[in-house]
Amino acid sequence: MTRKAVAVKRRAYHHGDLKNALVVAALELIATKGARALSLREVARATGVSHASTYRHFPNKESVLATIAEQGFRELTQRMRDAALQSPSDPLKSLHRVGLAYVAFGVAHPHHLQIMFGDLITSHAAYPSLLEASSAAFEILASCVRAGQKAGLVRESEERLVSLAAWSQVHGLALLIASGQIAPKGSAPLQPDKLADAVLYLLQTGLAAPRQ
Amino acid sequence: MTRKAVAVKRRAYHHGDLKNALVVAALELIATKGARALSLREVARATGVSHASTYRHFPNKESVLATIAEQGFRELTQRMRDAALQSPSDPLKSLHRVGLAYVAFGVAHPHHLQIMFGDLITSHAAYPSLLEASSAAFEILASCVRAGQKAGLVRESEERLVSLAAWSQVHGLALLIASGQIAPKGSAPLQPDKLADAVLYLLQTGLAAPRQ
DNA sequence: ACCTGAACACCGTTCAAGT
DNA sequence: ACCTGAACACCGTTCAAGT
């Protein structure tokens, strides 16, 4: 970076957007080195600022991660909402599309998934806006389930259980894909969205063979 | 710890079981402070040995975690196998029981789950015996699926996809429970095994309402 | 109001040296 | 063969001091 670029950056922080600049720098570092390797000192270095100044904007490292997690939940919610709205009159299709969107988000942003659901944030309860953002995502799914039940297309079990089953399914699949745990076992590697499609189909119809 | 106890410990390490003692100490620390807070120096301290001596037995910190992850997969496999064998002639019930066993393992050992599936181990491929242990667990599930298909009780989709759907389902549920992400939303908190039971039932029958 | 340098108490890892 | 002390290059966090 040229001396001028540094000067420009420096000027910007006095404008009050250092907080944002730190988050952006953190995201860049996470993208290249992974979330666990993130260090606040490196974030400060990359932003051209002293390492102590991060503490003017965040009480600690975890709260930077909480901010990132919250952004992740907001984007996830957006994707799920868009997916649900694509077939407003077909709740089963909505549910399927929402699941695909969830898996696609995980594949596109594995580091976010890790920050959102891993153990880097000790207690989500310490960040009310994070909790709010995550339940907003869950709410999209739950409302698809309710719509499906109202239309008589989704099983009339307790809504919470049906939602949880759907959530677990897409969550598990997204994590297994994002963490590279899916063993191809010699056969041709399947595309994540093909996998998700097949798995979501099975979720809808069940693993048991249809009775003759 | 008394001076004598230290002396006894010290003697033991010269017997060649320091490697094991380090893993045991690591597990204790993880149980109380979480996997991410583990430090090799603290493990050495708890074992009464210099911090440098851990490097006689493990190339680095990650390989300690890989050892723990491998043990986790072996116990998980054992639990799944026991569950499968409880109803050898009813593959659907086996599948259900194996799923319950998976979730029960996760609830009992959330830290193991985190080490086994989180990002603390950068690349599982670097530890062949770890890979082997994890595919053994998956294999239990896959063999239940095959048995079910052979008996005409499980849908005749590609076996890998059906197995993956079942794996994702129990994996997602176990992680959501273990990470405390399940929002009770005011209603009475359900027991993990009740949840798992209901979710696995839905996996078997599908979310879609049965056609009239 | 916002940023900095120095300091504290930690890390993981290496390596020459000890028994 | 196995263990240790000292050293290196890092951390997160705090705090008095600077503009």
Side-chain angles (χ1 to χ4, degrees):
Chain A
M1 185 154 48
T2 66
R3 210 175 313 180
K4 190 173 166 197
V6 170
V8 167
K9 266 196 177 174
R10 230 175 259 280
R11 195 152 13 94
Y13 307 147
H14 285 277
H15 289 186
D17 67 345
L18 176 52
K19 182 164 182 169
N20 227 304
L22 290 169
V23 171
V24 170
L27 282 170
E28 268 170 35
L29 287 170
I30 288 168
T32 61
K33 303 177 155 195
R36 227 184 63 263
L38 185 73
S39 106
L40 275 196
R41 287 175 101 112
E42 200 177 358
V43 169
R45 233 147 37 216
T47 319
V49 105
S50 95
H51 64 260
S53 72
T54 53
Y55 289 87
R56 285 284 126 199
H57 302 276
F58 296 96
N60 49 39
K61 182 178 171 178
E62 194 182 48
S63 76
V64 177
L65 293 169
T67 302
I68 291 173
E70 187 183 330
Q71 288 180 359
F73 277 115
R74 296 207 191 285
E75 190 190 327
L76 174 60
T77 303
Q78 193 55 56
R79 282 181 183 235
M80 289 168 80
R81 201 195 314 274
D82 289 351
L85 291 176
Q86 262 177 22
S87 10
S89 57
D90 186 342
L92 275 182
K93 201 166 220 168
S94 280
L95 216 43
H96 191 95
R97 284 198 149 122
V98 166
L100 289 178
Y102 193 102
V103 172
F105 172 82
V107 170
H109 303 297
H111 296 301
H112 269 91
L113 212 62
Q114 187 187 120
I115 296 169
M116 290 154 70
F117 295 104
D119 68 323
L120 283 83
I121 296 168
T122 305
S123 165
H124 282 223
Y127 304 92
S129 63
L130 174 56
L131 267 190
E132 199 198 320
S134 71
S135 44
F138 185 75
E139 190 45 43
I140 303 282
L141 214 148
S143 71
C144 287
V145 168
R146 279 194 298 272
Q149 289 179 324
K150 202 167 282 177
L153 296 168
V154 168
R155 207 168 272 275
E156 283 293 341
S157 314
E158 215 188 306
E159 178 257 303
R160 252 180 79 224
L161 290 174
V162 182
S163 299
L164 180 59
W167 183 269
S168 302
Q169 181 73 83
V170 295
H171 186 62
L173 182 61
L175 284 173
L176 288 175
I177 293 174
S179 69
Q181 294 263 356
I182 286 176
K185 265 271 193 176
S187 58
L190 275 169
Q191 307 280 36
D193 52 341
K194 298 263 183 194
L195 276 183
D197 215 62
V199 167
L200 284 165
Y201 175 76
L202 287 168
L203 175 67
Q204 209 173 104
T205 60
L207 298 194
R211 291 189 224 109
Q212 306 291 16
Chain B
M1 185 153 49
T2 68
R3 211 174 312 177
K4 194 177 164 196
V6 171
V8 166
K9 267 197 174 173
R10 228 175 259 282
R11 194 153 12 95
Y13 307 147
H14 285 275
H15 288 188
D17 66 345
L18 175 53
K19 182 165 182 170
N20 226 304
L22 289 170
V23 171
V24 170
L27 282 170
E28 269 171 35
L29 287 170
I30 287 167
T32 62
K33 301 178 156 196
R36 228 185 62 263
L38 186 73
S39 107
L40 275 196
R41 289 175 101 114
E42 200 177 359
V43 170
R45 232 148 35 216
T47 321
V49 105
S50 95
H51 64 260
S53 73
T54 54
Y55 289 86
R56 285 284 124 201
H57 301 276
F58 296 96
N60 51 37
K61 181 177 170 180
E62 194 181 49
S63 75
V64 177
L65 293 170
T67 303
I68 291 173
E70 187 182 331
Q71 289 181 359
F73 277 114
R74 296 208 190 285
E75 191 191 326
L76 174 59
T77 304
Q78 193 55 54
R79 283 182 182 234
M80 289 167 82
R81 201 194 315 275
D82 289 352
L85 291 176
Q86 264 176 20
S87 11
S89 57
D90 184 341
L92 276 181
K93 199 166 221 168
S94 279
L95 215 44
H96 191 94
R97 284 199 149 121
V98 165
L100 288 178
Y102 192 103
V103 173
F105 172 83
V107 170
H109 303 297
H111 296 301
H112 269 90
L113 212 60
Q114 187 187 119
I115 295 168
M116 290 154 71
F117 295 104
D119 68 321
L120 283 81
I121 296 167
T122 305
S123 164
H124 284 223
Y127 305 91
S129 62
L130 174 56
L131 267 191
E132 197 197 320
S134 71
S135 46
F138 186 74
E139 191 43 44
I140 302 284
L141 214 148
S143 73
C144 287
V145 168
R146 280 195 297 273
Q149 289 179 326
K150 201 168 283 175
L153 295 168
V154 168
R155 208 167 271 276
E156 283 294 340
S157 316
E158 214 188 304
E159 179 258 303
R160 251 181 78 225
L161 289 174
V162 182
S163 298
L164 180 60
W167 184 270
S168 302
Q169 181 72 83
V170 295
H171 186 62
L173 183 60
L175 284 173
L176 288 175
I177 292 175
S179 68
Q181 293 264 357
I182 286 176
K185 265 275 194 175
S187 59
L190 275 169
Q191 307 280 34
D193 53 342
K194 299 265 181 189
L195 276 183
D197 215 64
V199 166
L200 284 164
Y201 175 75
L202 287 168
L203 175 67
Q204 209 174 103
T205 60
L207 297 193
R211 291 190 225 109
Q212 304 292 18

